Amino acid sequence: MAELITSEPNALELVLDFIRTLEAGGDGGAIGRFLAADFVLVEAPHLLAVEGSTRTRDQAMAGLDQSGEVVADQKFEIRRTTCEGGRVVVEADWSARTLMDLRYWDAGETIRARTSSVFEVRGGLIISQDSYDCYFANS
């Protein structure tokens, strides 16, 4: 049986505002206003996290604060969006400048990924994000 998707006005705008806030270097306070208390972030396995991960809102916020020590100048080039009810899918090209040496990049290099994320919005807040990231390794 298909899952019923209820209408969630402005879900797409909310998610795009969230992404713009991330891109602008928003800290936990700026990002927290978008996320429900029971928010869950699921990252599929990728180059930097081969096991993938599942994080609560608090864990995701802590990771966001730590990412400021790893990358800067994040940019999201939105390629395509789809919205149905409270479900928003975003495909984007992401890039950032590394602030430290990472497994495949040296400090100062640009790290790039093609990303797809599925967001669920309810009550004007993001309740979940499932992220699928494909990183391009520098050669």
Side-chain angles (χ1 to χ4, degrees), residues 18-113:
F18 169 75
I19 291 170
R20 285 190 284 271
T21 303
L22 279 173
E23 186 176 53
D27 62 7
I31 295 299
R33 68 184 177 91
F34 293 97
L35 306 179
D38 58 348
F39 171 81
V40 175
L41 170 64
V42 177
E43 287 183 295
H46 57 76
L47 193 61
L48 296 177
V50 297
E51 300 295 322
S53 68
T54 300
R55 294 187 226 161
T56 65
R57 182 185 193 276
D58 290 343
Q59 291 167 329
M61 298 287 284
L64 174 66
D65 290 339
Q66 292 171 349
S67 72
E69 300 170 12
V70 180
V71 296
D73 306 323
Q74 290 191 81
K75 298 206 181 350
F76 291 88
E77 181 183 325
I78 306 296
R79 299 178 61 84
R80 189 169 29 194
T81 62
T82 302
C83 183
E84 182 181 8
R87 180 171 294 139
V88 178
V89 179
V90 177
E91 296 175 63
D93 290 329
W94 173 84
S95 65
R97 181 175 45 85
T98 59
L99 299 175
M100 62 176 53
D101 290 343
L102 299 174
R103 182 172 182 182
Y104 298 99
W105 301 271
D106 295 329
E109 288 187 317
T110 299
I111 183 172
R112 299 180 311 113

